[in-house]
Amino acid sequence: VSTTELSYSALHPVDRPRIHHLRAAVTRHVPVGTDHAHLELSAPAIAAEARPGQFVMITVARDGQDTPVLPRPMAIYSIDRAAGVIGIVYTVRGRGTKALRGFAPGEAALHVVGPLGRGFDVPEIPSRVLLVGRGIGVCSLTTVAQCAVPGTEVLALTSARHTGALVGAEIYRSSGATLLEVTDEAGDSAPERVERELLNRLDARPPELIFTCGSNRLATLCQRLAARWGARAQVSLEAHMACGLGYCHGCATAGAVAAGESPLVCQDGPVFVIDPPAPTVSRSSIPR
Ligand SMILES: Cc1cc2nc3c(=O)[nH]c(=O)nc-3n(C[C@H](O)[C@H](O)[C@H](O)COP(=O)(O)OP(=O)(O)OC[C@H]3O[C@@H](n4cnc5c(N)ncnc54)[C@H](O)[C@@H]3O)c2cc1C
Ligand code: FES
């Protein structure tokens, strides 16, 4: 299976989550490492119902401004139900995220819609979970550790180009997860190295669930490990989104799914089941 040949299936259908549209005050806005920022928003209705792996759409135009028109999708990085606060961690890429960076604590100007999408299929009984995330993709995985039922064993691998770009350590540590950080800079982030490390640590007592986001190569590795260990693997996909609500069809997964109409990343995902690897046909089994 090459990195471009992963195939995905939609998770079993569930009731569409209740979606809230609110104006959220910024309660905290701080830099994270060298590349990212952590924004916390007062959004009690969303915090109350958000599930691991879901996201929000944030409109960054200020009152009286009409651009940027389209909201930007952001994974829910942390959930504090008691305080009614959700956190996101983001990288400045273009116009929308640059505008987002300008919002200071106390401002109540952000329109937020959520929680959106199908999150990870997290069991309500203790289990062994492996989280494999790269770059900003880690933000879709952190709430799995944060919301895990007591007794759940989580190993969280985070990968990035360099140390300053690593995400998630704080939330993983405070959730009791075992953290494994790898970087291109340190030379330990190549999938073969990661695979050796994970086999060393987990082969004797493998996880039942593997969740991943942020790298196709790591998703392929997760597919292979899931097949070896008999684990279930799920991936959170990214797509350009205009509405986040299932209306515009701009986020269809195109050829990624074998049968039926292409699922929408915003509505049927962003989390999908990673199908098992296609069986390999050995030369000796080819009929002559
Ligand atoms: C479900 C979901 C969850 C996400 N969670 C996060 C998150 O937690 N933190 C975070 O920083 N980002 C996240 N993203 C990506 C984020 O939405 C984009 O980076 C953001 O919309 C860029 O907006 P912009 O106006 O700054 O950049 P634009 O000016 O719109 O684009 C700047 C550059 O980024 C690229 N880009 C824009 N949107 C995407 C996208 N969705 N995927 C890949 N490339 C894109 C464009 O092609 C362009 O090259 C998520 C995306 C999805 C779909
Ligand atoms: S973003 Fe509009 S349908 Fe998915």
Side-chain angles (χ1 to χ4, degrees), residues 241-251 264 266:
M241 290 184 182
C243 72
L245 295 164
Y247 299 134
C248 71
H249 283 234
C251 64
L264 302 176
C266 72

Side-chain angles (χ1 to χ4, degrees), residues 24 32-33 42 64 118 187 192 244 256 264 267:
V32 175
S42 175
R118 287 280 339 251
E192 314 78 62
L264 302 176
Q267 186 176 265

Side-chain angles (χ1 to χ4, degrees), residues 176-198:
T178 303
L179 179 65
L180 183 56
E181 294 182 323
V182 297
T183 61
D184 303 354
E185 192 180 46
D188 53 5
S189 62
E192 314 78 62
R193 283 281 300 265
V194 170
E195 181 167 17
R196 273 205 303 279
E197 182 65 29
L198 292 176

Side-chain angles (χ1 to χ4, degrees), residues 41-124:
L41 298 167
S42 175
I46 297 176
E49 295 183 36
R51 311 277 309 150
Q54 287 190 296
F55 66 99
V56 289
M57 296 293 285
I58 302 182
T59 300
V60 296
R62 289 173 182 276
D63 286 345
Q65 289 181 344
D66 50 11
T67 60
V69 175
L70 297 175
R72 287 351 192 217
M74 290 287 158
I76 300 174
Y77 171 80
S78 59
I79 305 168
D80 183 340
R81 296 194 208 281
V85 168
I86 57 166
I88 64 159
V89 170
Y90 67 93
T91 312
V92 172
R93 277 180 181 261
R95 207 159 150 228
T97 42
K98 199 169 169 190
L100 193 58
R101 196 174 52 181
F103 283 82
E107 291 198 61
L110 285 162
H111 287 267
V112 183
V113 175
L116 296 169
R118 287 280 339 251
F120 291 100
D121 220 359
V122 181
E124 286 174 12

